[in-house]
Amino acid sequence: METRANYILIGAFSAATVVAAFLFLVWLTGFEGDAELQTYDVIFDGSVAGLSEGGDVRYNGIKVGEVTEIALGADPRLVNVRINVDGRTPVKVDSQARLEFQGITGVAFIEITGGTPTSALLEAEGDNDYPIIIADRSAVQQLITSAPLILTAANDLLVRVDRLLGENEGQLSATVRDVETVTGTIASNHEEIDQIVKNLARASEQIAEITEKMNGAVGEIEQAAGSYGALAEDARVLVAETRPALDQLSNSSVPEVDRLLRDTRRMIGSVDRLVVELERNPTEFLLGNEPAEYGN
């Protein structure tokens, strides 16, 4: 009986372990038994390297399904990837899909981005069995597609550079020698160069001082201009105040001044005649008669 009881305990423990493992797997894969799945066809233009059946399908970064089939389309340049996603996933008519990678060299998965809230849900059209999503090129896909062109362009560039260097080898050597000569000249005359730099620094300081003095002179000129303006205003006021008196003086004194000038001219004329008479006959002018003759 004891042995039989041990077998029962071992069997119950094993069954519990299997059930726990199954539940863990269900939780890990996000599978819900009663969840309705929706199938979509994602059309890729170009390589889908790294993507495999069973790969993840994510919606805004959340896993919502997996890849069920990968096949070439009617156009050999296109790849048709069939996916199953949770039916509750809001795949809209303006939703977009692209191939993404976990890290630079990681496993590929399909990323679907949501559309606008007011957009209609994506549905099958025409003879298509499932709704179709036209995938965009991801940055990695564009890099992979463009890699051959980039390598070709890089190779052409290297060939041209090599040809250019070969054709101008002599000139490049001469240029290197010239650079060495200039470098040696600079090294041998570093003291003179230092002195030139110091002189430039002093010149800059002197220019700054001159500029400051000029600014002060400009201020003084502006102050003098203000004082001159005030002086001119005072002069205008003085002229305005003295103008009536000057006008009155001019009007009352002009006749007297004219008479004085006429009398002065007559007096000068008389003096001139007097001088002439005195020079001609001073005795007659002084005595008033002819001198007496001797012997009479």
Side-chain angles (χ1 to χ4, degrees):
M1 292 294 293
E2 184 177 356
T3 302
R4 184 177 180 181
N6 291 334
Y7 288 154
I8 293 174
L9 291 176
I10 294 172
F13 177 77
S14 300
T17 303
V18 172
V19 172
F22 176 77
L23 293 177
F24 175 76
L25 290 176
V26 170
W27 173 82
L28 184 64
T29 57
F31 175 77
E32 296 182 5
D34 56 350
E36 183 180 356
L37 298 179
Q38 175 66 46
T39 302
Y40 297 91
D41 284 336
V42 183
I43 307 300
F44 288 90
D45 182 6
S47 174
V48 291
L51 185 65
S52 61
E53 295 183 2
D56 289 348
V57 177
R58 301 181 184 180
Y59 187 91
N60 291 342
I62 301 174
K63 181 179 178 181
V64 294
E66 63 182 17
V67 176
T68 59
E69 183 181 349
I70 300 176
L72 291 175
D75 186 341
R77 295 172 299 180
L78 303 179
V79 178
N80 183 20
V81 179
R82 184 159 294 173
I83 61 175
N84 285 337
V85 302
D86 189 337
R88 296 169 296 182
T89 304
V91 180
K92 304 295 187 70
V93 294
D94 55 352
S95 294
Q96 297 177 338
R98 62 178 178 270
L99 192 66
E100 297 289 353
F101 296 85
Q102 294 180 352
I104 298 177
T105 60
V107 178
F109 63 91
I110 295 177
E111 175 73 22
I112 300 176
T113 56
T116 57
T118 57
S119 300
L121 294 175
L122 183 63
E123 297 180 354
E125 297 180 355
D127 297 333
N128 299 319
D129 296 331
Y130 305 107
I132 295 177
I133 304 174
I134 304 299
D136 296 330
R137 285 180 176 269
S138 65
V140 176
Q141 279 185 295
Q142 293 177 358
L143 179 61
I144 293 174
T145 303
S146 304
L149 298 177
I150 296 174
L151 291 176
T152 301
N155 183 64
D156 293 341
L157 178 62
L158 291 176
V159 171
R160 289 197 295 270
V161 170
D162 182 68
R163 185 183 302 115
L164 179 64
L165 293 176
E167 294 175 352
N168 298 276
E169 183 177 359
Q171 296 180 358
L172 291 175
S173 299
T175 302
V176 172
R177 289 194 297 270
D178 293 340
V179 171
E180 292 177 350
T181 301
V182 172
T183 304
T185 302
I186 293 174
S188 60
N189 296 277
H190 66 91
E191 295 181 357
E192 289 79 0
I193 295 175
D194 292 340
Q195 186 62 38
I196 292 173
V197 173
K198 293 178 181 178
N199 293 336
L200 290 175
R202 285 196 296 270
S204 299
E205 294 177 356
Q206 293 175 357
I207 291 173
E209 294 177 358
I210 293 172
T211 302
E212 184 176 357
K213 292 180 180 179
M214 290 180 64
N215 292 332
V218 169
E220 294 178 357
I221 291 173
E222 292 178 349
Q223 184 177 0
S227 301
Y228 175 77
L231 180 61
E233 182 64 24
D234 294 341
R236 285 195 293 269
V237 173
L238 179 60
V239 169
E241 292 178 351
T242 58
R243 184 178 298 277
L246 291 174
D247 293 340
Q248 182 178 1
L249 177 61
S250 176
N251 294 332
S252 61
S253 301
V254 167
E256 288 77 2
V257 171
D258 290 338
R259 287 192 295 270
L260 177 61
L261 290 176
R262 286 195 298 270
D263 294 341
T264 302
R265 284 196 293 270
R266 286 195 298 269
M267 183 181 68
I268 292 173
S270 300
V271 172
D272 288 338
R273 289 191 298 273
L274 178 62
V275 170
V276 171
E277 292 293 334
L278 181 61
E279 289 177 350
R280 185 175 59 85
N281 193 352
T283 303
E284 181 181 358
F285 180 79
L286 294 175
L287 298 178
N289 52 12
E290 294 292 335
E293 294 183 359
Y294 293 102
N296 290 337

